[in-house]
Amino acid sequence: MLFLAITLGFFVENQREHYVEHLREKQFINSLIVDVQLDTASLTGILQKRTRRVGMLDSLSLLLHSPERDKHIPRIYYFGRHIQRLFYVSFTYNDRTIQQLKNGGNMRLIGNRTAADAIVLYDAKVRDMQVTEQRENEYMFQCLPYTYKIFDGKVMDLMIDSTTAINEPPDGVSLLPTTTNTDLTNFSGALHSLKSSNLANLLRVRGLLNDGQSLLNTLKKEYHLE
């Protein structure tokens, strides 16, 4: 009888632990769904900004090399000023739940292998995009010294209104008189790297947005969530 009582006690305790771990697993999954929903909302906005950025950077490059460049100086200023706002399209990863799963050794609680694999793959892709975003920031810093040699700071300052929006300056403005062809050539080279990086990151954002939606679908399907 004593043996049966001890065995039953172990069985009940094991079932209780299994039940508690199952509850924790569902809590992590629900929390992760909220995080990924925030990610996809953010990525949707970033995708729109990066798409707009493609047109701006292409137009800036085209106008700088135009034989009628002097006719388009206000527009060149407008596109040039936006270069300094590329930081605002960087993706902020909502990784609070992922970090809890990884750092606390809680990934073992995700008993559904399909869900666990999808979570790990999504996290890896986000980390990979963060590396390319850092490279893009480096390209932006390469562009900045040339903007200071080409654009008049007083004109740049007048372009920002009280809401911090960027407005095109009026006709009659000009590039700095000390601007050389070498400055323009160097700026064009740095701009090319920035354009390429923005385009690469746009494609990554589009892919990550699809991955995020796929992860949401997987989690909801595997855990029977609406």
PDB file of all heavy atoms in Angstrom, residues 87-108:
ATOM      1  N   PHE A  87      17.551  56.879 -40.346  1.00  0.00           N
ATOM      2  CA  PHE A  87      17.514  56.182 -39.067  1.00  0.00           C
ATOM      3  C   PHE A  87      16.083  55.831 -38.680  1.00  0.00           C
ATOM      4  O   PHE A  87      15.840  54.828 -38.008  1.00  0.00           O
ATOM      5  CB  PHE A  87      18.108  57.063 -37.959  1.00  0.00           C
ATOM      6  CG  PHE A  87      19.613  57.032 -37.919  1.00  0.00           C
ATOM      7  CD1 PHE A  87      20.346  58.204 -37.949  1.00  0.00           C
ATOM      8  CD2 PHE A  87      20.292  55.834 -37.852  1.00  0.00           C
ATOM      9  CE1 PHE A  87      21.728  58.183 -37.903  1.00  0.00           C
ATOM     10  CE2 PHE A  87      21.676  55.796 -37.803  1.00  0.00           C
ATOM     11  CZ  PHE A  87      22.399  56.979 -37.822  1.00  0.00           C
ATOM     12  N   TYR A  88      15.142  56.640 -39.076  1.00  0.00           N
ATOM     13  CA  TYR A  88      13.761  56.466 -38.630  1.00  0.00           C
ATOM     14  C   TYR A  88      13.056  55.298 -39.294  1.00  0.00           C
ATOM     15  O   TYR A  88      11.914  55.013 -38.969  1.00  0.00           O
ATOM     16  CB  TYR A  88      12.973  57.755 -38.869  1.00  0.00           C
ATOM     17  CG  TYR A  88      13.442  58.898 -37.998  1.00  0.00           C
ATOM     18  CD1 TYR A  88      14.356  59.823 -38.476  1.00  0.00           C
ATOM     19  CD2 TYR A  88      12.999  59.024 -36.690  1.00  0.00           C
ATOM     20  CE1 TYR A  88      14.814  60.860 -37.676  1.00  0.00           C
ATOM     21  CE2 TYR A  88      13.442  60.064 -35.887  1.00  0.00           C
ATOM     22  CZ  TYR A  88      14.346  60.977 -36.384  1.00  0.00           C
ATOM     23  OH  TYR A  88      14.794  61.996 -35.590  1.00  0.00           O
ATOM     24  N   VAL A  89      13.717  54.613 -40.209  1.00  0.00           N
ATOM     25  CA  VAL A  89      13.090  53.449 -40.819  1.00  0.00           C
ATOM     26  C   VAL A  89      13.702  52.163 -40.289  1.00  0.00           C
ATOM     27  O   VAL A  89      13.430  51.086 -40.793  1.00  0.00           O
ATOM     28  CB  VAL A  89      13.179  53.479 -42.362  1.00  0.00           C
ATOM     29  CG1 VAL A  89      12.424  54.651 -42.918  1.00  0.00           C
ATOM     30  CG2 VAL A  89      14.627  53.508 -42.832  1.00  0.00           C
ATOM     31  N   SER A  90      14.539  52.253 -39.267  1.00  0.00           N
ATOM     32  CA  SER A  90      15.107  51.056 -38.660  1.00  0.00           C
ATOM     33  C   SER A  90      14.028  50.313 -37.868  1.00  0.00           C
ATOM     34  O   SER A  90      13.188  50.917 -37.213  1.00  0.00           O
ATOM     35  CB  SER A  90      16.276  51.424 -37.741  1.00  0.00           C
ATOM     36  OG  SER A  90      17.337  51.984 -38.483  1.00  0.00           O
ATOM     37  N   PHE A  91      14.083  48.996 -37.923  1.00  0.00           N
ATOM     38  CA  PHE A  91      13.081  48.153 -37.282  1.00  0.00           C
ATOM     39  C   PHE A  91      13.444  47.896 -35.823  1.00  0.00           C
ATOM     40  O   PHE A  91      14.571  47.502 -35.510  1.00  0.00           O
ATOM     41  CB  PHE A  91      12.983  46.825 -38.038  1.00  0.00           C
ATOM     42  CG  PHE A  91      12.090  45.806 -37.384  1.00  0.00           C
ATOM     43  CD1 PHE A  91      10.764  46.090 -37.116  1.00  0.00           C
ATOM     44  CD2 PHE A  91      12.583  44.543 -37.059  1.00  0.00           C
ATOM     45  CE1 PHE A  91       9.934  45.153 -36.522  1.00  0.00           C
ATOM     46  CE2 PHE A  91      11.766  43.596 -36.470  1.00  0.00           C
ATOM     47  CZ  PHE A  91      10.443  43.897 -36.202  1.00  0.00           C
ATOM     48  N   THR A  92      12.496  48.141 -34.926  1.00  0.00           N
ATOM     49  CA  THR A  92      12.676  47.830 -33.507  1.00  0.00           C
ATOM     50  C   THR A  92      11.965  46.511 -33.214  1.00  0.00           C
ATOM     51  O   THR A  92      10.734  46.420 -33.301  1.00  0.00           O
ATOM     52  CB  THR A  92      12.100  48.946 -32.617  1.00  0.00           C
ATOM     53  OG1 THR A  92      12.784  50.178 -32.906  1.00  0.00           O
ATOM     54  CG2 THR A  92      12.298  48.614 -31.142  1.00  0.00           C
ATOM     55  N   TYR A  93      12.736  45.513 -32.892  1.00  0.00           N
ATOM     56  CA  TYR A  93      12.236  44.160 -32.685  1.00  0.00           C
ATOM     57  C   TYR A  93      11.517  44.054 -31.344  1.00  0.00           C
ATOM     58  O   TYR A  93      12.077  44.376 -30.301  1.00  0.00           O
ATOM     59  CB  TYR A  93      13.435  43.212 -32.728  1.00  0.00           C
ATOM     60  CG  TYR A  93      13.139  41.733 -32.703  1.00  0.00           C
ATOM     61  CD1 TYR A  93      11.891  41.214 -33.008  1.00  0.00           C
ATOM     62  CD2 TYR A  93      14.171  40.834 -32.398  1.00  0.00           C
ATOM     63  CE1 TYR A  93      11.662  39.853 -32.998  1.00  0.00           C
ATOM     64  CE2 TYR A  93      13.950  39.470 -32.390  1.00  0.00           C
ATOM     65  CZ  TYR A  93      12.699  38.978 -32.686  1.00  0.00           C
ATOM     66  OH  TYR A  93      12.477  37.626 -32.675  1.00  0.00           O
ATOM     67  N   ASN A  94      10.281  43.590 -31.364  1.00  0.00           N
ATOM     68  CA  ASN A  94       9.532  43.338 -30.126  1.00  0.00           C
ATOM     69  C   ASN A  94       9.879  41.922 -29.641  1.00  0.00           C
ATOM     70  O   ASN A  94       9.152  40.956 -29.913  1.00  0.00           O
ATOM     71  CB  ASN A  94       8.031  43.470 -30.381  1.00  0.00           C
ATOM     72  CG  ASN A  94       7.629  44.889 -30.726  1.00  0.00           C
ATOM     73  OD1 ASN A  94       7.505  45.735 -29.847  1.00  0.00           O
ATOM     74  ND2 ASN A  94       7.452  45.164 -32.018  1.00  0.00           N
ATOM     75  N   ASP A  95      10.998  41.810 -28.952  1.00  0.00           N
ATOM     76  CA  ASP A  95      11.534  40.488 -28.628  1.00  0.00           C
ATOM     77  C   ASP A  95      11.448  40.125 -27.147  1.00  0.00           C
ATOM     78  O   ASP A  95      12.184  39.259 -26.670  1.00  0.00           O
ATOM     79  CB  ASP A  95      12.992  40.387 -29.086  1.00  0.00           C
ATOM     80  CG  ASP A  95      13.891  41.386 -28.363  1.00  0.00           C
ATOM     81  OD1 ASP A  95      13.370  42.297 -27.706  1.00  0.00           O
ATOM     82  OD2 ASP A  95      15.128  41.245 -28.474  1.00  0.00           O
ATOM     83  N   ARG A  96      10.551  40.758 -26.422  1.00  0.00           N
ATOM     84  CA  ARG A  96      10.466  40.482 -24.977  1.00  0.00           C
ATOM     85  C   ARG A  96      10.174  39.006 -24.716  1.00  0.00           C
ATOM     86  O   ARG A  96      10.807  38.379 -23.839  1.00  0.00           O
ATOM     87  CB  ARG A  96       9.388  41.344 -24.328  1.00  0.00           C
ATOM     88  CG  ARG A  96       8.012  41.162 -24.933  1.00  0.00           C
ATOM     89  CD  ARG A  96       6.895  41.925 -24.274  1.00  0.00           C
ATOM     90  NE  ARG A  96       5.633  41.585 -24.929  1.00  0.00           N
ATOM     91  CZ  ARG A  96       4.535  41.258 -24.272  1.00  0.00           C
ATOM     92  NH1 ARG A  96       4.528  41.233 -22.972  1.00  0.00           N
ATOM     93  NH2 ARG A  96       3.425  40.956 -24.922  1.00  0.00           N
ATOM     94  N   THR A  97       9.241  38.416 -25.474  1.00  0.00           N
ATOM     95  CA  THR A  97       8.900  37.015 -25.246  1.00  0.00           C
ATOM     96  C   THR A  97       9.998  36.091 -25.748  1.00  0.00           C
ATOM     97  O   THR A  97      10.342  35.099 -25.079  1.00  0.00           O
ATOM     98  CB  THR A  97       7.569  36.666 -25.947  1.00  0.00           C
ATOM     99  OG1 THR A  97       6.561  37.602 -25.545  1.00  0.00           O
ATOM    100  CG2 THR A  97       7.115  35.263 -25.583  1.00  0.00           C
ATOM    101  N   ILE A  98      10.555  36.410 -26.904  1.00  0.00           N
ATOM    102  CA  ILE A  98      11.661  35.614 -27.436  1.00  0.00           C
ATOM    103  C   ILE A  98      12.812  35.572 -26.444  1.00  0.00           C
ATOM    104  O   ILE A  98      13.416  34.516 -26.204  1.00  0.00           O
ATOM    105  CB  ILE A  98      12.147  36.197 -28.781  1.00  0.00           C
ATOM    106  CG1 ILE A  98      11.126  35.906 -29.887  1.00  0.00           C
ATOM    107  CG2 ILE A  98      13.511  35.636 -29.159  1.00  0.00           C
ATOM    108  CD1 ILE A  98      11.128  34.478 -30.377  1.00  0.00           C
ATOM    109  N   GLN A  99      13.134  36.721 -25.854  1.00  0.00           N
ATOM    110  CA  GLN A  99      14.224  36.765 -24.886  1.00  0.00           C
ATOM    111  C   GLN A  99      13.909  35.925 -23.652  1.00  0.00           C
ATOM    112  O   GLN A  99      14.801  35.255 -23.105  1.00  0.00           O
ATOM    113  CB  GLN A  99      14.513  38.214 -24.478  1.00  0.00           C
ATOM    114  CG  GLN A  99      15.142  39.058 -25.574  1.00  0.00           C
ATOM    115  CD  GLN A  99      16.458  38.476 -26.053  1.00  0.00           C
ATOM    116  OE1 GLN A  99      17.238  37.912 -25.294  1.00  0.00           O
ATOM    117  NE2 GLN A  99      16.714  38.610 -27.340  1.00  0.00           N
ATOM    118  N   GLN A 100      12.679  35.950 -23.202  1.00  0.00           N
ATOM    119  CA  GLN A 100      12.287  35.123 -22.051  1.00  0.00           C
ATOM    120  C   GLN A 100      12.415  33.642 -22.382  1.00  0.00           C
ATOM    121  O   GLN A 100      12.845  32.842 -21.539  1.00  0.00           O
ATOM    122  CB  GLN A 100      10.859  35.449 -21.638  1.00  0.00           C
ATOM    123  CG  GLN A 100      10.689  36.822 -21.003  1.00  0.00           C
ATOM    124  CD  GLN A 100       9.228  37.164 -20.748  1.00  0.00           C
ATOM    125  OE1 GLN A 100       8.324  36.413 -21.110  1.00  0.00           O
ATOM    126  NE2 GLN A 100       8.999  38.313 -20.138  1.00  0.00           N
ATOM    127  N   LEU A 101      12.053  33.288 -23.602  1.00  0.00           N
ATOM    128  CA  LEU A 101      12.151  31.893 -24.017  1.00  0.00           C
ATOM    129  C   LEU A 101      13.607  31.442 -24.115  1.00  0.00           C
ATOM    130  O   LEU A 101      13.964  30.342 -23.670  1.00  0.00           O
ATOM    131  CB  LEU A 101      11.455  31.696 -25.365  1.00  0.00           C
ATOM    132  CG  LEU A 101       9.926  31.759 -25.365  1.00  0.00           C
ATOM    133  CD1 LEU A 101       9.394  31.778 -26.787  1.00  0.00           C
ATOM    134  CD2 LEU A 101       9.343  30.575 -24.588  1.00  0.00           C
ATOM    135  N   LYS A 102      14.448  32.306 -24.664  1.00  0.00           N
ATOM    136  CA  LYS A 102      15.842  31.937 -24.888  1.00  0.00           C
ATOM    137  C   LYS A 102      16.679  32.022 -23.612  1.00  0.00           C
ATOM    138  O   LYS A 102      17.413  31.084 -23.279  1.00  0.00           O
ATOM    139  CB  LYS A 102      16.449  32.839 -25.968  1.00  0.00           C
ATOM    140  CG  LYS A 102      15.864  32.598 -27.362  1.00  0.00           C
ATOM    141  CD  LYS A 102      16.194  33.712 -28.327  1.00  0.00           C
ATOM    142  CE  LYS A 102      17.669  33.889 -28.529  1.00  0.00           C
ATOM    143  NZ  LYS A 102      17.958  34.931 -29.546  1.00  0.00           N
ATOM    144  N   ASN A 103      16.585  33.147 -22.916  1.00  0.00           N
ATOM    145  CA  ASN A 103      17.451  33.370 -21.761  1.00  0.00           C
ATOM    146  C   ASN A 103      17.045  32.562 -20.538  1.00  0.00           C
ATOM    147  O   ASN A 103      17.869  32.227 -19.699  1.00  0.00           O
ATOM    148  CB  ASN A 103      17.488  34.861 -21.402  1.00  0.00           C
ATOM    149  CG  ASN A 103      18.073  35.704 -22.524  1.00  0.00           C
ATOM    150  OD1 ASN A 103      18.797  35.193 -23.370  1.00  0.00           O
ATOM    151  ND2 ASN A 103      17.755  36.993 -22.543  1.00  0.00           N
ATOM    152  N   GLY A 104      15.783  32.254 -20.407  1.00  0.00           N
ATOM    153  CA  GLY A 104      15.320  31.503 -19.241  1.00  0.00           C
ATOM    154  C   GLY A 104      15.293  30.004 -19.468  1.00  0.00           C
ATOM    155  O   GLY A 104      14.795  29.261 -18.614  1.00  0.00           O
ATOM    156  N   GLY A 105      15.794  29.558 -20.614  1.00  0.00           N
ATOM    157  CA  GLY A 105      15.743  28.135 -20.918  1.00  0.00           C
ATOM    158  C   GLY A 105      14.327  27.633 -21.104  1.00  0.00           C
ATOM    159  O   GLY A 105      14.037  26.443 -20.908  1.00  0.00           O
ATOM    160  N   ASN A 106      13.435  28.536 -21.481  1.00  0.00           N
ATOM    161  CA  ASN A 106      12.020  28.187 -21.569  1.00  0.00           C
ATOM    162  C   ASN A 106      11.603  27.654 -22.934  1.00  0.00           C
ATOM    163  O   ASN A 106      10.429  27.286 -23.102  1.00  0.00           O
ATOM    164  CB  ASN A 106      11.159  29.398 -21.212  1.00  0.00           C
ATOM    165  CG  ASN A 106      11.274  29.798 -19.756  1.00  0.00           C
ATOM    166  OD1 ASN A 106      11.166  28.956 -18.874  1.00  0.00           O
ATOM    167  ND2 ASN A 106      11.509  31.077 -19.505  1.00  0.00           N
ATOM    168  N   MET A 107      12.527  27.613 -23.887  1.00  0.00           N
ATOM    169  CA  MET A 107      12.168  27.067 -25.195  1.00  0.00           C
ATOM    170  C   MET A 107      11.726  25.611 -25.079  1.00  0.00           C
ATOM    171  O   MET A 107      10.956  25.111 -25.904  1.00  0.00           O
ATOM    172  CB  MET A 107      13.341  27.182 -26.168  1.00  0.00           C
ATOM    173  CG  MET A 107      13.457  28.521 -26.879  1.00  0.00           C
ATOM    174  SD  MET A 107      12.007  28.974 -27.880  1.00  0.00           S
ATOM    175  CE  MET A 107      12.024  27.710 -29.150  1.00  0.00           C
ATOM    176  N   ARG A 108      12.210  24.924 -24.041  1.00  0.00           N
ATOM    177  CA  ARG A 108      11.813  23.522 -23.838  1.00  0.00           C
ATOM    178  C   ARG A 108      10.313  23.396 -23.583  1.00  0.00           C
ATOM    179  O   ARG A 108       9.735  22.308 -23.763  1.00  0.00           O
ATOM    180  CB  ARG A 108      12.586  22.924 -22.656  1.00  0.00           C
ATOM    181  CG  ARG A 108      12.245  23.585 -21.330  1.00  0.00           C
ATOM    182  CD  ARG A 108      13.004  22.979 -20.160  1.00  0.00           C
ATOM    183  NE  ARG A 108      12.649  23.646 -18.907  1.00  0.00           N
ATOM    184  CZ  ARG A 108      11.545  23.400 -18.226  1.00  0.00           C
ATOM    185  NH1 ARG A 108      10.680  22.495 -18.660  1.00  0.00           N
ATOM    186  NH2 ARG A 108      11.287  24.048 -17.091  1.00  0.00           N
TER     187      ARG A 108
END
